[in-house]
Amino acid sequence: MPSNGLSQRATEEELEQYERDGYFARTSVFNDVELKPVRDAVETIHRKIEEGARADDVEPHRKIDGKRYQKILGSSVQWEWQDESTEIRTMEPYHHHDDRMNWMIDDVRLWGPARAIVGSESISLFSDKLNFKRQNGAPFPWHQDNPYWAFECQHLDQLISVAIVLDDSTIENGCLWLIPGSHKHGALDCFEDRGTVGRLYTDIDRYDLNEPKPMDLAAGSIVYFHGDIVHGSQGNRTAENRRLLLLTYQPGGMARWQRDDIRPVFG
Ligand SMILES: O=C(O)CCC(=O)C(=O)O
């Protein structure tokens, strides 16, 4: 049970900020003792996927917009952008690879504040994603998440994502950036001429949006954000890791994104 005095529900101020800006953050949610095994598990998973990629029966890379994607051991893996790189950029889902990754999904410090936003006392997991950004890790262009999910999800208004900062996040190492208030515009225009995934990248110059805000937060911080908020990140210009977990919650009893099973959240 959390002992850091944080409310297990979103406060009035947080809900107001979520409504106005499309996000709110909490700092010092997880401490280093809690994060250490999670970081270790994340690296174990990285190695597992690298090994999986060398297996004889692994499916070949799919190249989309010149970037490499692969289905490995039940995860959709995107490799870092340099062709020869064996660094993982993103992996979705991740939690089935290591038991040490499960408790966080069920931790009330994460799902508790989500309840008021998804509109339900019971919660289930919609998606889980692990994003690495090693030295020279590539940027994430501006985008919204809802258009990505919209093809296969009828309840976008009942989703909320929470980013869990695993390493101290700075502008230099490629922290997450959010554009406050951009969620109010709904689905924004994207680039028509940037290939398949490029069509999901938001053309922010077409709009008069607020100044982007860096989420340069210490490890153990979390950020809740709306599926329509425009967000992205820059490359990692340091030698340090910048790793991020992304959980998306939905009301209880609903199947996971692109899966038939339900992953209840156990309070
Ligand atoms: O990891 C990041 O910096 C950005 C994450 C993100 O926006 C995403 O995975 O959709």
Side-chain angles (χ1 to χ4, degrees), residues 221-232:
S221 305
I222 63 176
V223 186
Y224 291 91
F225 62 100
H226 191 286
D228 277 330
I229 195 168
V230 178
H231 60 289

Side-chain angles (χ1 to χ4, degrees), residues 64-190:
I64 308 177
D65 301 344
K67 316 288 189 305
R68 293 167 302 143
Y69 294 80
Q70 230 171 348
K71 193 71 172 271
I72 303 175
L73 302 172
S75 294
S76 297
V77 174
Q78 186 189 163
W79 296 99
E80 264 299 350
W81 286 4
Q82 306 90 321
D83 261 351
E84 69 288 357
S85 177
T86 55
E87 295 295 354
I88 296 161
R89 177 171 157 78
T90 68
M91 179 194 309
E92 190 177 10
Y94 66 79
H95 81 269
H96 60 291
H97 291 299
D98 196 301
D99 285 346
R100 288 171 290 178
M101 301 308 285
N102 265 296
W103 66 269
M104 247 184 192
I105 295 170
D106 297 316
D107 195 302
V108 69
R109 287 171 287 181
L110 292 178
W111 61 263
R115 285 175 288 188
I117 291 155
V118 307
S120 168
E121 277 302 298
S122 76
I123 297 286
S124 58
L125 185 68
F126 178 73
S127 72
D128 56 298
K129 188 174 181 194
L130 165 56
N131 289 3
F132 292 85
K133 203 184 280 187
R134 312 283 208 211
Q135 183 172 25
N136 297 323
F140 274 85
W142 294 119
H143 65 281
Q144 300 169 298
D145 287 340
N146 275 350
Y148 168 64
W149 290 320
F151 301 104
E152 294 170 63
C153 174
Q154 307 299 319
H155 58 284
L156 296 173
D157 56 339
Q158 290 178 291
L159 304 180
I160 182 168
S161 294
V162 56
I164 302 137
V165 177
L166 293 184
D167 304 294
D168 290 344
S169 246
T170 62
I171 291 175
E172 290 70 34
N173 73 13
C175 68
L176 189 66
W177 289 70
L178 302 170
I179 304 190
S182 53
H183 65 300
K184 295 210 167 186
H185 298 266
L188 295 174
D189 286 341
C190 293

Side-chain angles (χ1 to χ4, degrees), residues 184-200:
K184 295 210 167 186
H185 298 266
L188 295 174
D189 286 341
C190 293
F191 294 100
E192 305 291 332
D193 56 351
R194 299 222 179 157
T196 309
V197 183
R199 262 177 241 130
L200 292 170

